[in-house]
């Protein structure tokens, strides 16, 4: 008990050293922080959503080896981010680091870019997950009605809206409820993975079973792209699936022992997802038969649902598919939770439109209810793109990855490119820092370019990839607002703002005292000066 109390204090003191007072309850244990990362990855349902892109761009080899190949790079990204998160665990995360690590002349604008990229990325994340869930529900209805019922666009949007709104209600509840739910999420996730790894091979009839040489050596490319490029495009499947792990950074202020728990949650969630996901892909490749075109073009619309249908039959497919939908739904609510915390941090610094309104705590639940509903509303707007066709909604999927990569790359590069006094936290890569950062940045830039390619060569307007157009458009608006005469951010935006002297918000009990002892406002305002308290804290942190 005394130890727990000491740990709570050290979390709060570290946060104070970064210029923020404790406002959230630290309700998440390390396992629950891992749960957040793992449930946002939402392994099996995510693989289901993007299986088509691996299957059509190389079949078994892309599913199995593409996955393994991409996982190594994603792990590098996770380690580079973990190192940053460990040094400054605030819910502003990457954005806060961008400020402290950049040169005085560039820090405000870089911060603005990272803040907006994160906000857009997390909101498009909600939209893409919930859209994936909508399509899965439609597939379930389709299977249930023996392929008779096909939902219209308006009906699909109705399902989508119901998902987003119900998740907003869940996320408005108290942090404690949300934290406890994470354990359930992890259990459902893992259960589903093992069903596919163990039960699927057991249920698959012999005529659909594939040989090991097919699973590990057959490359079937039906996309029309040259083989090498098709393989690279297939990497979008693991990238899409294993993403959103930075969400844990955004709940740093709600986690106990955050400087250690958050980086380890990121790295272990990627590691576990990499290994389990590989096993799932191997299992699917063994059990899908060799008629890939048949699976890809089936009226069910979801290759994994079709594989289930072939192996398990209708009833069991519906049972399992319901579980897939449920886990995807949970993934959406975790994503909304993370997005709302990110928007909260950005609004705290005044950068979002209506920041004053958004930076509010609901006194009863102790959660930022206004940002939850703001993000939900934005996702509903983004979801309207689905009415204008598959290409537009695919752009939303891509943006959730590319926008996040903008937010990842900036602080990782800033750390090495600018003169600064970066101090590693307890999670540190030592001499491997620079090589790992370099590998991950090159990989992310390369994949951002790839994500802007259309799914087939010589695309028609309907299957054009609008990622660059949409992301570029939104970022241009953000830039215009920054440089706008008189009202633009350039005239007033100061990066992360300390709230240490701001007592309008209700600090939770006992916080003011421990925080009050450290005079740290200077650290944040100048970004360079260190108070004694700051240095002492680092040492404290290492001991724990
Ligand atoms: C992959 O498998 C398909 C279906 O059995 C076969 O037609 C094709 O020739 C195989 N390709 C290679 C490279 O082995």
């Amino acid at each position: 008990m005394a130890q727990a109390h000491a740990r709570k204090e050290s979390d709060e003191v570290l946060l104070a050293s970064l210029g923020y007072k404790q406002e959230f309850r630290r309700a998440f244990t390390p396992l629950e922080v891992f749960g957040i990362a793992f449930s946002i990855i939402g392994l099996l349902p995510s693989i289901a959503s993007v299986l088509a892109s691996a299957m059509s761009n190389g079949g078994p080899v892309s599913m199995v080896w593409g996955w393994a190949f991409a996982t190594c790079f994603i792990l590098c990204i996770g380690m580079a981010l973990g190192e940053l998160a460990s040094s400054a665990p605030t819910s502003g995360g990457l954005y806060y680091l961008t400020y402290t690590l950049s040169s005085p002349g560039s820090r405000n604008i870089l911060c603005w870019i990272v803040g907006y990229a994160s906000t857009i990325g997390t909101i498009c994340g909600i939209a893409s997950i919930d859209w994936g869930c909508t399509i899965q529900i439609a597939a379930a209805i389709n299977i249930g009605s023996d392929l008779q019922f096909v939902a219209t666009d308006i009906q699909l949007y109705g399902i989508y809206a119901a998902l987003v709104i119900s998740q907003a209600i869940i996320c408005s509840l108290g942090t404690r409820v949300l934290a406890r739910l994470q354990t359930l999420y992890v259990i459902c996730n893992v259960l589903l993975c093992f069903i596919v790894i163990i039960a699927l091979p057991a249920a698959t009839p012999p005529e659909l079973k594939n040989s090991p040489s097919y699973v590990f050596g057959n490359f079937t490319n039906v996309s029309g792209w040259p083989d090498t490029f098709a393989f690279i495009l297939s990497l979008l499947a693991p990238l899409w699936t294993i993403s959103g792990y930075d969400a844990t950074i955004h709940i740093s202020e709600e986690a106990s022992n955050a400087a250690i728990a958050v980086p380890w949650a990121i790295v272990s969630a990627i590691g576990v997802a990499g290994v389990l996901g590989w096993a799932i892909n191997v299992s699917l490749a063994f059990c899908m038969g060799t008629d890939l075109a048949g699976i890809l073009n089936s009226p069910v619309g979801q290759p994994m649902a079709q594989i289930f249908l072939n192996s398990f039959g209708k009833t069991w497919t519906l049972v399992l598919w319901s579980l897939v939908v449920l886990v995807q739904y949970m993934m959406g609510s975790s994503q909304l939770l993370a997005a709302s915390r990110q928007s909260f941090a950005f609004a705290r610094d005044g950068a979002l439109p209506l920041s004053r309104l958004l930076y509010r705590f609901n006194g009863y639940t102790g959660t930022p209810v206004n940002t939850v509903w703001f993000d939900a509303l934005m996702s509903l707007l983004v979801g309207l793109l689905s009415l204008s066709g598959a290409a537009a909604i695919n752009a939303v999927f891509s943006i959730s990855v590319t926008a996040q990569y903008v937010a990842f790359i900036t602080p990782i590069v800033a750390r090495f490119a600018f003169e600064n006094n970066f101090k590693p936290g307890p999670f540190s890569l030592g001499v491997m820092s620079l090589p790992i950062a370099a590998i991950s940045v090159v990989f992310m830039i390369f994949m951002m370019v790839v994500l802007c390619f259309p799914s087939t060569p010589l695309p028609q307007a309907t299957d054009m990839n609008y990622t660059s157009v949409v992301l570029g458009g939104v970022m241009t608006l953000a830039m215009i607002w920054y440089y706008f005469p008189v009202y633009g951010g350039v005239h007033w935006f100061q990066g992360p703002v300390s709230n240490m002297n701001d007592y309008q918000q209700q600090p939770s009990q006992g916080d003011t005292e421990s925080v009050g002892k450290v005079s740290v406002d200077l650290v944040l305002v100048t970004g360079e000066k260190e108070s004694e308290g700051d240095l002492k804290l680092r040492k404290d942190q290492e001991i724990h």
Side-chain angles (χ1 to χ4, degrees):
M1 200 51 211
Q3 212 183 357
H5 184 72
R7 178 163 293 169
K8 178 166 176 281
E9 281 222 323
S10 89
D11 274 321
E12 285 169 15
V13 175
L14 175 61
L15 186 62
S17 79
L18 303 171
Y20 294 116
K21 68 177 156 59
Q22 184 74 38
E23 290 177 294
F24 288 98
R25 297 195 186 101
R26 293 211 179 246
F28 290 83
T29 67
L31 185 65
E32 287 163 346
V33 181
F34 168 82
I36 289 263
F38 195 69
S39 85
I40 285 198
I41 292 172
L43 200 52
L44 193 98
S46 297
I47 293 178
S49 297
V50 288
L51 187 58
S53 78
M55 251 188 169
S56 60
N57 286 301
V61 162
S62 289
M63 287 164 66
V64 172
W65 299 120
W67 181 278
F69 182 73
T71 300
C72 299
F73 287 101
I74 300 171
L75 203 53
C76 287
I77 300 174
M79 287 194 284
L81 286 181
E83 210 177 21
L84 294 183
S86 181
S87 87
T90 75
S91 54
L94 305 171
Y95 153 79
Y96 174 90
L97 279 151
T98 304
Y99 185 85
T100 51
L101 299 175
S102 302
S103 68
S106 61
R107 59 173 51 139
N108 285 352
I109 178 73
L110 288 178
C111 238
W112 188 272
I113 291 172
V114 167
Y116 268 94
S118 296
T119 306
I120 296 160
T122 48
I123 288 172
C124 286
I126 304 167
S128 56
I129 294 169
D130 283 342
W131 187 253
C133 192
T134 304
I135 299 295
Q136 286 165 356
I137 291 173
I141 298 173
N142 190 289
I143 294 171
S145 68
D146 290 319
L147 314 184
Q148 296 304 304
F149 182 85
V150 178
T152 64
D153 284 354
I154 298 289
Q155 286 167 333
L156 289 176
Y157 188 78
I159 298 174
Y160 172 82
L163 295 176
V164 174
I165 291 169
S166 60
Q167 286 164 352
I169 294 170
I170 293 178
C171 290
S172 301
L173 302 174
T175 312
R176 228 172 274 269
V177 180
L178 294 167
R180 294 298 98 86
L181 275 175
Q182 295 310 315
T183 314
L184 179 69
Y185 291 8
V186 174
I187 292 169
C188 288
N189 255 310
V190 173
L191 184 70
L192 207 45
C193 295
F194 281 103
I195 288 173
V196 172
I197 295 168
I198 295 165
L200 182 66
T204 302
E207 66 273 18
L208 287 176
K209 285 256 175 72
N210 293 320
S211 67
S213 66
Y214 178 83
V215 170
F216 296 106
N218 187 288
F219 189 83
T220 304
N221 173 13
V222 297
S223 69
W225 288 106
D227 285 354
T228 313
F229 193 66
F231 180 77
I232 293 168
L233 276 179
S234 81
L235 301 184
L236 303 189
L239 287 193
W240 241 317
T241 304
I242 313 183
S243 68
Y245 37 81
D246 63 306
T248 46
I249 304 176
H250 302 312
I251 58 147
S252 292
E253 291 170 32
E254 292 159 81
S256 60
N257 206 10
I260 293 171
V262 169
W264 276 110
I266 295 175
V267 171
S268 52
I270 294 173
V272 172
V275 172
L276 272 182
W278 190 77
I280 289 168
N281 274 295
V282 169
S283 175
L284 288 170
F286 265 113
C287 302
M288 67 187 177
T290 51
D291 179 17
L292 298 193
I295 292 172
L296 285 166
N297 301 324
S298 95
V300 173
Q302 286 262 287
M304 195 187 282
Q306 185 61 47
I307 294 172
F308 281 12
L309 199 54
N310 293 345
S311 296
F312 290 120
K314 180 179 157 185
T315 310
W316 279 105
T317 298
L318 282 177
V319 172
L320 288 179
W321 202 248
S322 312
L323 208 51
V324 172
V325 169
L326 185 71
V327 175
Q328 178 94 356
Y329 179 83
M330 292 166 167
M331 188 162 89
S333 65
S334 292
Q335 176 72 23
L336 178 56
L337 175 70
S340 69
R341 300 324 194 234
Q342 199 282 329
S343 306
F344 176 84
F346 205 33
R348 174 162 64 185
D349 300 331
L352 283 179
L354 308 177
S355 285
R356 263 170 209 285
L357 197 64
L358 292 174
Y359 174 43
R360 290 266 170 82
F361 260 87
N362 182 300
Y364 179 69
T365 60
T367 51
V369 170
N370 291 6
T371 50
V372 169
W373 286 93
F374 170 78
D375 287 343
L377 188 67
M378 289 296 138
S379 320
L380 287 176
L381 291 177
V382 168
L384 285 175
L385 280 171
S386 66
L387 300 177
S388 66
I393 200 78
N394 283 342
V396 176
F397 275 77
S398 301
I399 292 167
S400 68
V401 176
T402 46
Q404 291 288 292
Y405 281 4
V406 171
F408 290 177
I409 290 170
T410 313
I412 295 177
V413 170
R415 174 184 162 190
F416 295 101
F418 296 110
E419 210 170 293
N420 55 50
N421 55 353
F422 177 83
K423 285 169 299 186
F427 178 93
S428 170
L429 302 173
V431 291
M432 292 306 290
S433 283
L434 182 59
I436 286 183
I439 291 170
S440 54
V441 167
V442 170
F443 179 72
M444 283 189 279
I445 292 175
F446 178 68
M447 290 314 297
M448 280 171 68
V449 175
V450 173
L451 271 164
C452 292
F453 272 88
S455 57
T456 55
L458 305 175
Q460 308 294 311
T462 48
D463 46 29
M464 188 59 214
N465 189 325
Y466 294 103
T467 306
S468 48
V469 180
V470 177
L471 182 60
V474 178
M475 290 314 287
T476 305
L477 284 180
M479 285 300 100
I480 291 174
W481 191 33
Y482 187 77
Y483 286 111
F484 203 81
V486 186
Y487 297 106
V490 69
H491 303 292
W492 51 265
F493 181 66
Q494 296 293 327
V497 178
S498 168
N499 67 355
M500 296 292 285
N501 294 327
D502 168 14
Y503 288 102
Q504 289 159 325
Q505 307 289 326
Q506 282 288 321
S508 55
Q509 275 185 344
D511 288 353
T512 32
E513 215 191 335
S514 57
V515 160
K517 286 179 197 149
V518 194
S519 69
V520 286
D521 286 21
L522 274 177
V523 182
L524 204 72
V525 174
T526 65
E528 279 138 16
K529 265 187 203 164
E530 281 178 354
S531 66
E532 279 173 28
D534 190 22
L535 282 173
K536 207 168 102 247
L537 289 162
R538 296 284 163 186
K539 291 205 193 98
D540 285 353
Q541 193 60 27
E542 274 161 22
I543 293 164
H544 285 283

